[in-house]
Amino acid sequence: MRLPERVQIPLLPLETDIEEPLSRDSSRTHDDQGNTSVLCQEWQTLRDGALSTSSLRDYLGNVLVVGDMDYRDSTDIESLIKRTLPTKAKVPTPCQLINLGKAHPNQSRYKPGDWVEVEGLDMIWRVNMITRVVKRAPDDWDWNAPQNEGKEPNWIFTYNAGSIRNIAEEDLRSPEEGLKTVFGHGPWVWQQWALLKVEDKIRFQEGHQDDFAEKDIQKLAADLWDQWLDHPENIEFKTLFEDERIGDYGRSELETHIQKPFNLIDRITEDCDEWDFMNDENISVFTYLSCLGSGLPTVCLVLVLQIGIPIILVWSVFTKQSLECDDKPLDSEVLKASAMCVAVFSYYLVSVFPNAYTQFYNVSGPADSTFSRILSLRRQLWLNANDTIAQMLGYKLDIYMNASYTCLLSMLNIYILTQTNDALEILLNALAFFFIERIDEDIVRSDWYDPKKNWISAAAVQLVMQTNIDLRSLKSSKIFSEKFAIEQDILEQACDNDPRLFKNRSLAEMDRDNTAFMSDEERIEHMSGAIAERIGINYVVNEYKKPRVYFGIIERFLTPWTTTYPLFERTTSYQTWSRWEKVLYLSTVPNIDEIFSTDDDGAHRLNKDLNMKQDEKREILNLQEDEDSRDWVRFIQHYLNVISFRDMAYAMKPAWEVRNYGSMLFRLIDGFVNW
């Protein structure tokens, strides 16, 4: 008889560390030095669920005494908690950040004690430690079915990491720091190239096989990975990648990590529960401008309405003559007005004010909604300084109009209501302010604006690529060299000593038409499109050549004088494939013999020298020791950063690095306005 489903048993580490060959054995956990600890056989039997529930209590009475540790004593239990749960002061060693070994079917991908990166609701990956693994059977699994007798289901695993619970496996990945220690920076150079390739391939053309919603982005990325891995100039990395010491699990961890942006794109277009654009009522015309950088005329009209109407109402209150009661006593009118005010203010107390707090929470990023996820991606883009002026304007308007404007509008509404002595007028004014507040969202839900929500879905996909493509490094040899560990002189030579590195519009236009940088399928499509264009068959041209699509008719005509880009054509100037062909294989490949050591029995384990080489002051990628993993704490920290002007400094720094003075000025002004 197996333990009941969802029975969770704590992991009890032993004091004695026994070194073993590197594997994904479920009976082990890492110690502080990256070694492994072996649990007693009886305890693993309990964890595997092989004990009967009737003997569970008696068993725990014996097993809770392990070595010199008595886990029935509160002091030792406190020691256990401190050892197994990560704290702000605990920083993982280099060995602990490396997850390698053999993969086992139908077992959890990670074990308690493993260090991973967790994707928060704010779409940011942070290093944390797995503290518990919970497995459950699928909902459609019938334990009593005769055909399932003696069989195990395909378990569904969820994880706890720090204070975060119930994390799905798709929201976990191995730490970037550990993967770069083993594989070097080459895969991350590939990722930049692959994202440019994906943007070059997909289009906004409903019904077409390359439409962003139809194209299998993960399959496209997997093909690009195989193309890069099998390239003759990449033989050194491929030898490392296929080394038996890396194992199936290690190779899978790298591919899972490096494919996360492409996985997110597919989730946006396929997962209607997580990315429910149709039913999210907080998406507004400002959100479209924030993501697409176009749609400004509609935004201007909405601003005129949302600012102008309240001003007219206030002006009417100031200029209104004294109330004429038309044969009704003034006291009676005042009494009715007061009663209506009490009713309206009571509604504000239980609805409007809590909703204002929720809006603040949504715009800061950690809420579990589509709108909040979009704003989280926009914040990353804002901090990378890769957005246009129109996008920056839309992003800030989206925040202000959903937070500050709502509060100011409520206060203005209260003032006007207190100055009104007619009950019906009070009710109408209150309804008018609700109408004013929702103008920007109501337009989005109109049938003429974006009825199928294809534009906002495409905008989110574009946002993922724009966030993950580091344009600052792609046009700066210094930043690229530091980020991807390639010598600056060699990098500049590969890019023809161009000070803008990969950014070269004329070269990109030639390279995109050069069949030497195309696959066989792309060559056929390119030649077919060229022939159709030459003989003037327009509908065939649109089949083979990506059409230039804009959100809004006015932007299409104003393109030469604005920074508006066609959809999925923001990075065309960086698609200099001839330069990428040389840079893709320049990253140094680590020496695998320095990563692993071999004992007398021929077993492989991580080399302890990796821990000896660590710098106490080193910064671990995606490890934010000063941040709490709880979303509400990060919400408070965000607003403290705004008040202390730290948020303004974070926003200005990337713009300063690339000498984008227009963006710097915008961020400086915004910092004071935001404060």
Side-chain angles (χ1 to χ4, degrees):
M1 179 177 178
R2 300 187 66 83
L3 285 174
E5 190 180 329
R6 289 189 179 278
V7 169
Q8 300 186 30
I9 303 170
L11 180 67
L12 300 183
L14 292 178
E15 289 296 316
T16 306
D17 293 326
I18 304 176
E19 294 183 355
E20 281 200 314
L22 188 68
S23 70
R24 294 297 301 168
D25 198 340
S26 62
S27 64
R28 302 189 298 110
T29 183
H30 295 290
D31 66 7
D32 290 341
Q33 299 301 320
N35 301 321
T36 56
S37 302
V38 181
L39 303 179
C40 58
Q41 185 63 39
E42 293 84 357
W43 183 251
Q44 183 179 349
T45 303
L46 179 62
R47 287 181 62 216
D48 290 342
L51 271 179
S52 64
T53 54
S54 61
S55 61
L56 177 61
R57 181 177 300 176
D58 295 336
Y59 180 82
L60 287 175
N62 296 324
V63 79
L64 287 176
V65 181
V66 182
D68 296 332
M69 300 291 289
D70 185 353
Y71 290 106
R72 294 171 298 184
D73 181 75
S74 61
T75 304
D76 289 341
I77 291 177
E78 182 180 349
S79 175
L80 167 67
I81 294 173
K82 290 181 178 179
R83 293 182 59 194
T84 57
L85 295 179
T87 62
K88 290 183 180 179
K90 184 171 182 180
V91 177
T93 64
C95 285
Q96 288 177 313
L97 294 170
I98 298 174
N99 296 319
L100 300 174
K102 296 180 180 179
H104 298 283
N106 207 22
Q107 290 191 14
S108 63
R109 192 174 189 90
Y110 306 104
K111 306 298 178 185
D114 286 352
W115 284 85
V116 297
E117 289 181 6
V118 183
E119 185 182 33
L121 292 175
D122 58 0
M123 310 302 292
I124 295 177
W125 293 90
R126 294 178 177 87
V127 173
N128 215 325
M129 192 181 82
I130 297 294
T131 54
R132 179 159 298 183
V133 181
V134 180
K135 69 178 181 180
R136 63 179 178 86
D139 294 336
D140 59 353
W141 177 264
D142 186 1
W143 289 98
N144 298 317
Q147 65 270 22
N148 293 336
E149 182 69 27
K151 296 181 180 179
E152 281 198 1
N154 291 322
W155 297 105
I156 298 174
F157 295 95
T158 57
Y159 303 82
N160 295 350
S163 61
I164 311 174
R165 296 178 175 272
N166 245 6
I167 308 170
E169 201 162 271
E170 67 180 14
D171 295 326
L172 299 174
R173 68 184 189 187
S174 278
E176 183 176 341
E177 181 87 5
L179 291 173
K180 285 183 175 179
T181 300
V182 177
F183 296 102
H185 292 74
W188 282 265
V189 177
W190 168 86
Q191 188 184 68
Q192 296 293 301
W193 170 78
L195 285 165
L196 293 174
K197 279 286 188 180
V198 168
E199 188 183 61
D200 183 43
K201 183 68 174 177
I202 63 176
R203 60 178 69 186
F204 188 87
Q205 189 175 1
E206 190 173 1
H208 194 275
Q209 67 269 20
D210 290 334
D211 178 69
F212 78 98
E214 300 291 336
K215 192 71 177 176
D216 189 339
I217 303 300
Q218 292 186 85
K219 175 63 168 59
L220 175 59
D223 291 341
L224 292 172
W225 172 263
D226 292 338
Q227 176 185 335
W228 177 76
L229 186 64
D230 295 332
H231 196 279
E233 293 187 29
N234 207 24
I235 187 65
E236 187 179 359
F237 176 84
K238 186 176 182 181
T239 302
L240 166 69
F241 183 74
E242 295 180 346
D243 194 286
E244 63 175 0
R245 289 169 285 186
I246 299 295
D248 296 335
Y249 177 75
R251 285 186 282 271
S252 174
E253 285 301 287
L254 174 63
E255 291 177 338
T256 299
H257 182 109
I258 213 72
Q259 295 279 355
K260 280 298 181 183
F262 310 103
N263 170 263
L264 178 56
I265 291 174
D266 276 346
R267 281 162 51 192
I268 289 173
T269 57
E270 297 171 4
D271 192 340
C272 296
D273 294 326
E274 182 184 10
W275 294 88
D276 188 3
F277 299 101
M278 192 66 69
N279 297 315
D280 196 313
E281 296 183 353
N282 289 316
I283 296 176
S284 68
V285 295
F286 305 116
T287 311
Y288 280 74
L289 178 62
S290 170
C291 299
L292 292 166
S294 55
L296 191 58
T298 306
V299 168
C300 292
L301 175 62
V302 169
L303 280 176
V304 169
L305 293 175
Q306 289 192 305
I307 296 175
I309 295 176
I311 292 175
I312 294 173
L313 287 174
V314 173
W315 180 256
S316 67
V317 169
F318 278 112
T319 58
K320 188 175 181 181
Q321 301 295 324
S322 59
L323 180 66
E324 296 180 1
C325 295
D326 296 333
D327 300 330
K328 295 182 181 179
L330 181 61
D331 291 343
S332 174
E333 289 297 318
V334 172
L335 182 62
K336 292 177 183 178
S338 299
M340 183 60 73
C341 277
V342 170
V344 172
F345 293 160
S346 298
Y347 175 76
Y348 274 24
L349 187 63
V350 299
S351 178
V352 176
F353 295 150
N355 185 63
Y357 170 78
T358 303
Q359 288 293 83
F360 270 106
Y361 193 73
N362 275 331
V363 300
S364 68
D368 187 11
S369 68
T370 302
F371 173 68
S372 186
R373 293 187 188 95
I374 291 175
L375 280 187
S376 295
L377 290 172
R378 272 301 290 119
R379 175 166 174 78
Q380 292 182 44
L381 186 60
W382 166 264
L383 293 177
N384 291 337
N386 284 340
D387 40 4
T388 64
I389 293 294
Q391 284 183 304
M392 289 189 286
L393 180 63
Y395 172 54
K396 287 305 171 178
L397 284 174
D398 209 5
I399 292 177
Y400 295 146
M401 300 302 285
N402 278 285
S404 305
Y405 176 78
T406 302
C407 294
L408 292 173
L409 200 63
S410 298
M411 290 187 290
L412 191 61
N413 191 10
I414 291 172
Y415 169 76
I416 290 179
L417 297 184
T418 58
Q419 301 300 311
T420 305
N421 294 324
D422 183 87
L424 180 59
E425 191 173 347
I426 288 174
L427 181 60
L428 293 176
N429 283 340
L431 293 175
F433 275 92
F434 280 112
F435 163 74
I436 296 167
E437 181 187 350
R438 300 295 302 178
I439 290 176
D440 52 331
E441 288 90 358
D442 289 342
I443 287 179
V444 169
R445 292 198 295 273
S446 302
D447 291 338
W448 62 271
Y449 195 78
D450 185 15
K452 297 181 180 179
K453 297 299 179 283
N454 288 337
W455 282 103
I456 190 60
S457 180
V461 171
Q462 178 72 72
L463 206 55
V464 172
M465 292 187 289
Q466 201 175 351
T467 302
N468 285 277
I469 298 175
D470 189 1
L471 296 183
R472 292 189 303 121
S473 66
L474 298 190
K475 58 186 176 184
S476 170
S477 60
K478 183 178 183 296
I479 299 176
F480 192 96
S481 175
E482 293 174 352
K483 182 172 182 176
F484 298 106
I486 299 176
E487 291 186 22
Q488 188 171 350
D489 293 341
I490 297 176
L491 176 65
E492 291 175 350
Q493 184 178 357
C495 293
D496 306 321
N497 293 311
D498 190 334
R500 297 174 298 174
L501 208 59
F502 292 102
K503 186 177 182 180
N504 189 311
R505 183 182 298 274
S506 59
L507 180 61
E509 290 176 355
M510 289 189 294
D511 285 352
R512 288 201 306 275
D513 290 334
N514 191 337
T515 56
F517 305 115
M518 301 179 186
S519 64
D520 292 339
E521 179 184 353
E522 289 170 339
R523 290 190 187 98
I524 294 174
E525 291 180 353
H526 178 75
M527 294 172 62
S528 301
I531 293 173
E533 191 173 26
R534 188 170 64 248
I535 61 180
I537 310 178
N538 292 330
Y539 72 92
V540 178
V541 172
N542 289 334
E543 184 69 22
Y544 292 108
K545 287 196 170 186
K546 180 194 295 189
R548 297 172 67 86
V549 180
Y550 297 87
F551 178 69
I553 299 176
I554 296 178
E555 280 81 359
R556 185 180 306 171
F557 296 104
L558 296 180
T559 298
W561 302 279
T562 66
T563 57
T564 302
Y565 295 93
L567 196 57
F568 303 129
E569 292 190 31
R570 289 187 178 274
T571 61
T572 53
S573 297
Y574 298 85
Q575 295 169 9
T576 48
W577 308 130
S578 57
R579 292 179 180 177
W580 279 104
E581 191 73 15
K582 292 179 283 187
V583 175
L584 274 173
Y585 314 102
L586 290 180
S587 294
T588 303
V589 178
N591 184 353
I592 195 170
D593 294 327
E594 295 179 356
I595 299 172
F596 294 95
S597 60
T598 307
D599 60 18
D600 296 335
D601 297 329
H604 306 296
R605 65 174 56 84
L606 291 174
N607 195 335
K608 291 183 178 179
D609 290 342
L610 294 175
N611 291 338
M612 301 292 292
K613 296 177 181 178
Q614 76 174 18
D615 183 0
E616 295 182 356
K617 297 182 179 180
R618 88 190 199 282
E619 293 185 5
I620 298 177
L621 292 171
N622 303 327
L623 178 66
Q624 301 180 23
E625 298 177 65
D626 61 333
E627 288 205 19
D628 195 290
S629 58
R630 290 166 293 184
D631 293 321
W632 68 270
V633 175
R634 287 203 294 269
F635 165 71
I636 295 174
Q637 288 174 337
H638 168 69
Y639 280 95
L640 289 177
N641 287 339
V642 171
I643 294 173
S644 63
F645 292 105
R646 292 179 64 187
D647 194 66
M648 182 176 69
Y650 294 151
M652 291 182 63
K653 182 180 178 182
W656 167 257
E657 288 178 349
V658 294
R659 301 299 187 266
N660 189 339
Y661 300 113
S663 179
M664 279 185 60
L665 179 60
F666 186 97
R667 292 159 193 269
L668 178 65
I669 296 172
D670 170 72
F672 288 104
V673 174
N674 203 17
W675 183 86

